[in-house]
Amino acid sequence: MVLRSVVQFDVENLIERALISAKDGEEDALLSKIQLLRFGVDPVVSDQANKFLRAMACRFGIHSPEAGLKRTNIRELILALSRQMKAQSMCM
């Protein structure tokens, strides 16, 4: 149970930092990081990554995150989340 909480916290932090710190022109690197967490590690990590992305999309009012997350290419969703998170971090 504790390990699952640590994994959840780490996955959320990794995704959040990647989305906020992504620089213009480095979209492919950002997408690679997110895709690795979604598909290349472990089913628990992948599930948590998708849950977090879904929650962030809902939080920022991005419509139909479920449909976007079912696709392999989630470029538009990731870029929209990155823009929204950067804007929010600038306001703080």
Side-chain angles (χ1 to χ4, degrees):
M1 188 66 155
V2 173
L3 180 59
R4 188 170 294 244
S5 296
V6 170
V7 167
Q8 177 180 353
F9 179 75
D10 286 344
V11 168
E12 291 175 5
N13 277 340
L14 285 169
I15 292 172
E16 189 171 10
R17 273 191 245 143
L19 290 169
I20 291 172
S21 65
K23 294 178 177 59
D24 292 336
E26 295 182 358
E27 291 84 5
D28 289 336
L30 172 63
L31 291 168
S32 294
K33 289 176 189 176
I34 302 292
Q35 291 292 60
L36 178 63
L37 289 172
R38 288 185 67 222
F39 298 117
V41 184
D42 178 86
V44 173
V45 172
S46 297
D47 186 48
Q48 187 57 40
N50 284 322
K51 283 181 185 177
F52 183 70
L53 289 169
R54 186 179 311 109
M56 293 305 297
C58 290
R59 179 176 159 196
F60 289 114
I62 297 172
H63 301 291
S64 305
E66 289 294 329
L69 288 170
K70 288 180 183 175
R71 289 187 239 137
T72 303
N73 185 353
I74 59 167
R75 182 181 188 87
E76 300 305 319
L77 176 64
I78 295 301
L79 295 178
L81 283 173
S82 183
R83 284 190 294 271
Q84 292 286 339
M85 291 182 80
K86 285 179 188 178
Q88 180 185 18
S89 70
M90 292 175 130
C91 292
M92 294 180 136

